[in-house]
Amino acid sequence: MAITRQDLEADRLRTKLCSSPVASSLLPEADVERSLGCALACRPDTADLNGDVWVFGYGSLIWNPMVVHTESRLATVHGYHRGFYLYSKINRGTWDNPGLVLGLDRGGSCTGMVFRIPSHVVEQEFRVLWRREMMTGAYHPRWLRVKLDQAPDAPEQRALAFVMNRSHAGYAGRLPDARVVDCLRHACGLYGPAREYLQQTLLGLATHGVDDPYLGRLWRQLQERDAAEVARAACTTATPVATSASAATRPDDAVAAAVHPHETV
């Protein structure tokens, strides 16, 4: 199931999930509206934006914002960093095989994208965002200070961002790389495979010249796992005679064919 903006506008995702086993994990609609109202009430009044606001994306918003915006720019948040801190049992996994998605957690810094939302559609676009990001209450909407990277001498501005709700049942905390890779390799949810989420985020950042060593390290480890699995499968299915002949004649070619990753960034 590919989730579209039209699905979010019509609230089809909630309607679908309310009749499924995950219904109990959804944030009540009244709480979603209350959270949205609070964020709108606290929106900053930045003189040079004329009522427009910034939204900070650090994961899927980078490459699939789905919101109306008139400008997008690189920006950095200090005091929070990006990590795979949220188990995903709906969007990028299932209850039986949860994936992981990114969240902002305390400490460090994070470079992502900010999107400028025109003043006359802020409430409309925020409602789309809330239906996408606040379905289970896993995040706290916060107006964070951001530094626009193309204007290093300009004063900091405020941008809405979704930071981790550490009291949420899906909060994973800091996990070892091996555990993160385990969760990303084969999990798949309503929005697609968890591994695709990692790959698209890496590609989205790279498109804007941003290198995230943490995400790159995870992607390399995931590919190494894939290659090892392919190599094991090749060894298991090959006959002893064929294996012996292959090793004796062209071992380098055999190994290269077995371990070639099926995806590259």
Side-chain angles (χ1 to χ4, degrees):
M1 177 181 179
I3 304 299
T4 66
R5 178 185 168 93
Q6 290 70 33
D7 291 325
L8 298 175
E9 287 175 334
D11 213 8
R12 292 192 195 105
L13 185 57
R14 172 176 284 274
T15 301
K16 177 182 176 67
L17 294 175
C18 277
S19 58
S20 76
V22 305
S24 61
S25 68
L26 302 180
L27 197 65
E29 279 193 86
D31 291 347
V32 174
E33 286 296 319
R34 188 177 303 111
S35 169
L36 172 59
C38 288
L40 290 170
C42 296
R43 60 193 282 191
D45 183 15
T46 307
D48 59 349
L49 289 182
N50 298 315
D52 296 355
V53 298
W54 294 108
V55 170
F56 180 74
Y58 54 88
S60 62
L61 287 176
I62 293 173
W63 44 273
N64 187 25
M66 274 192 194
V67 291
V68 173
H69 57 280
T70 57
E71 185 180 358
S72 61
R73 302 175 68 170
L74 277 175
T76 299
V77 166
H78 292 280
Y80 290 90
H81 66 282
R82 173 174 37 227
F84 279 98
Y85 292 133
L86 180 62
Y87 283 113
S88 178
K89 299 178 180 179
I90 298 173
N91 295 349
R92 296 287 175 174
T94 63
W95 286 89
D96 295 330
N97 186 25
L100 282 165
V101 291
L102 294 166
L104 284 183
D105 213 347
R106 304 167 193 162
S109 63
C110 176
T111 297
M113 299 292 297
V114 286
F115 302 92
R116 183 169 174 168
I117 313 297
S119 59
H120 65 285
V121 294
V122 168
E123 183 171 351
Q124 165 192 301
E125 297 308 303
F126 274 29
R127 181 160 278 105
V128 170
L129 277 173
W130 256 248
R131 288 174 177 173
R132 171 177 169 169
E133 304 292 342
M134 290 294 293
M135 193 163 49
T136 68
Y139 299 114
H140 290 307
R142 295 285 186 267
W143 290 98
L144 303 182
R145 294 185 181 278
V146 299
K147 193 75 172 176
L148 302 184
D149 284 14
Q150 295 97 326
D153 297 327
E156 289 183 325
Q157 301 201 34
R158 294 274 186 177
L160 180 92
F162 295 97
V163 307
M164 279 309 312
N165 174 4
R166 286 188 165 193
S167 64
H168 190 270
Y171 177 62
R174 188 180 294 272
L175 297 172
D177 285 2
R179 172 60 180 160
V180 175
V181 172
D182 281 343
C183 289
L184 295 178
R185 283 193 70 212
H186 299 302
C188 185
L190 288 177
Y191 284 22
R195 65 185 297 143
E196 176 191 69
Y197 176 92
L198 167 60
Q199 183 185 31
Q200 292 295 336
T201 303
L202 260 176
L203 289 171
L205 288 168
T207 298
H208 297 283
V210 178
D211 174 43
D212 186 306
Y214 167 71
L215 298 184
R217 185 176 75 237
L218 291 173
W219 181 250
R220 288 191 298 273
Q221 291 179 24
L222 190 151
Q223 288 191 298
E224 288 166 3
R225 293 275 197 93
D226 289 346
E229 189 173 279
V230 170
R232 283 196 300 271
C235 291
T236 301
T237 57
T239 63
V241 174
T243 301
S244 175
S246 175
T249 56
R250 298 202 302 167
D252 293 340
D253 290 349
V255 172
V259 303
H260 181 67
H262 71 272
E263 290 181 299
T264 57
V265 173

